[in-house]
């Protein structure tokens, strides 16, 4: 059952990920991106990351993508970009990135199936205890970052600059 | 049980797909979405390693990175919106104001 779910989720995730890049207009890409994110949430669930799987659905597939769809619908009618051939530097950069990732992956392929995790691994309770214990400082700092992002987004999207 | 390497391979494929999108597409909205795809790919390998090493620190990192991605999407979309207001385009080729 686990293997079946893994293959379904990963094939759909990679396929829809490719469609995000391939699709002509932004609206279609956004829908495929939502499917990719839901499949990734399923993979997190298979990896015993229940809390992160919930967050992925709530924040990514929910909040972030709704924001994106709003902006796409605001712009999309006239917001088509011309897709012409990319220049040589882009292909070279792409080749280098692909090569680095493939080499890195080749060194990691020996990793086998992980051991059975302890009870409560990845639950909201366990992750929350860690978040408010050892990682309290990053947690507080990230809230400051969110505040900055909110103010920045409001100022940037104002109709007239200050 | 699924070996951890399989998850890492899925993560690498998604990351390369996202990199292709950022480098080859010209619509800034789609470039932003490809960027989100790359972030998601990295998150997947974080979770896979957290499971492999039995360490929930990886989950904390993904929590923080999802927050950063949300902030990045909000600011990025605000920038695209204000650029579109002044330039009437989302094509990166036409956004060469800062090019030397």
């Amino acid at each position: 059952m686990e293997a079946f779910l893994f293959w379904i989720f990963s094939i759909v995730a990679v396929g829809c990920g490719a469609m995000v890049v391939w699709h002509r207009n932004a609206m279609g890409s956004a829908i495929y991106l939502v499917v990719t994110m839901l499949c990734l949430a399923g993979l997190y669930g298979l990896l015993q990351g229940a809390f992160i799987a919930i967050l992925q659905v709530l924040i990514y597939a929910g909040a972030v993508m709704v924001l994106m769809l709003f902006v796409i619908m605001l712009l999309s009618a006239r917001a088509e970009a011309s897709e012409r051939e990319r220049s040589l530097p882009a292909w070279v950069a792409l080749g280098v990135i692909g090569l680095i990732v493939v080499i890195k992956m080749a060194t990691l392929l020996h990793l086998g199936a992980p051991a059975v995790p302890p009870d409560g691994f990845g639950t909201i309770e366990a992750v929350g205890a860690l978040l408010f214990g050892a990682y309290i400082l990053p947690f507080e700092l990230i809230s400051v970052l969110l505040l900055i992002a909110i103010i920045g987004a409001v100022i940037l999207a104002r109709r007239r600059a200050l | 049980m699924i070996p951890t390497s399989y998850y890492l391979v899925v993560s690498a494929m998604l990351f390369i797909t996202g990199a292709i999108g950022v480098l080859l597409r010209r619509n800034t909205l789609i470039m932003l979405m490809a960027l989100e795809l790359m972030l998601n790919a990295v998150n997947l390998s974080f979770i896979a390693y957290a499971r492999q090493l039995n360490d929930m620190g990886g989950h904390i990192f993904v929590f923080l990175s999802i927050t950063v991605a949300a902030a990045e999407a909000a600011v990025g979309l605000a920038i695209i919106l204000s650029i579109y207001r002044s330039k009437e385009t989302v094509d990166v080729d036409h956004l060469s104001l800062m090019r030397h």
Side-chain angles (χ1 to χ4, degrees):
Chain A
M1 187 60 187
E2 195 197 338
F4 174 73
L5 283 177
F6 170 79
W7 287 112
I8 292 288
F9 282 142
S10 45
I11 289 169
V12 174
V14 171
C16 288
M19 285 306 291
V20 171
V21 172
W22 189 258
H23 205 276
R24 259 210 164 277
N25 64 41
M27 189 57 121
S29 292
I31 301 298
Y32 280 113
L33 190 57
V34 172
V35 178
T36 308
M37 283 168 176
L38 291 177
C39 288
L40 281 174
L43 287 179
Y44 296 165
L46 288 180
L47 285 165
Q48 311 282 322
F51 179 48
I52 299 299
I54 294 169
L55 280 187
Q56 173 86 2
V57 174
L58 281 182
I59 299 181
Y60 253 130
V64 172
M65 289 318 293
V66 167
L67 187 64
M68 286 223 169
L69 285 174
F70 258 107
V71 173
I72 290 168
M73 281 191 276
L74 273 177
L75 305 184
S76 70
R78 295 148 294 162
E80 290 297 322
S82 63
E83 303 287 347
R84 274 165 291 134
E85 279 294 306
R86 267 302 193 194
S87 54
L88 184 66
W91 286 106
V92 172
L94 196 59
V96 171
I97 290 172
L99 201 66
I100 292 171
V101 173
V102 167
I103 289 171
K104 288 297 278 182
M105 296 321 295
T107 63
L108 298 171
L109 282 179
H110 62 278
L111 287 176
V116 177
D119 254 3
F121 182 80
T123 56
I124 297 178
E125 198 180 350
V127 177
L130 203 56
L131 198 59
F132 289 102
Y135 292 94
I136 185 73
L137 183 64
F139 179 74
E140 293 295 337
L141 289 179
I142 209 83
S143 56
V144 177
L145 178 81
L146 272 181
L147 180 67
I148 295 169
I150 292 169
I151 296 171
V154 169
I155 289 177
L156 280 169
R158 282 164 65 104
R159 199 155 273 287
R160 200 175 305 166
L162 287 171
Chain B
M1 292 296 290
I2 306 290
T4 307
S5 333
Y6 287 21
Y7 288 100
L8 295 176
V9 170
V10 173
S11 158
M13 286 164 82
L14 282 174
F15 188 87
I16 294 176
T17 311
I20 291 172
V22 171
L23 288 173
L24 299 185
R25 291 304 298 257
R26 284 154 192 260
N27 190 332
T28 33
L29 288 164
I30 292 177
M31 286 171 80
L32 200 64
M33 280 189 261
L35 206 68
E36 297 284 342
L37 199 62
M38 289 166 80
L39 282 168
N40 270 283
V42 176
N43 286 350
L44 178 61
S45 59
F46 263 126
I47 299 279
Y49 267 112
R51 177 82 172 77
Q52 173 78 23
L53 304 173
N54 262 337
D55 181 356
M56 277 186 294
H59 292 206
I60 305 289
F61 265 91
V62 172
F63 176 85
L64 299 179
S65 117
I66 287 177
T67 316
V68 171
E72 170 250 316
V75 174
L77 289 172
I79 291 174
I80 291 176
L81 209 59
S82 65
I83 287 176
Y84 184 77
R85 281 216 192 94
S86 60
K87 306 277 280 184
E88 295 282 314
T89 181
V90 291
D91 190 330
V92 281
D93 278 357
H94 299 148
L95 303 177
S96 52
L97 203 64
M98 290 170 79
R99 188 181 286 169
H100 181 60

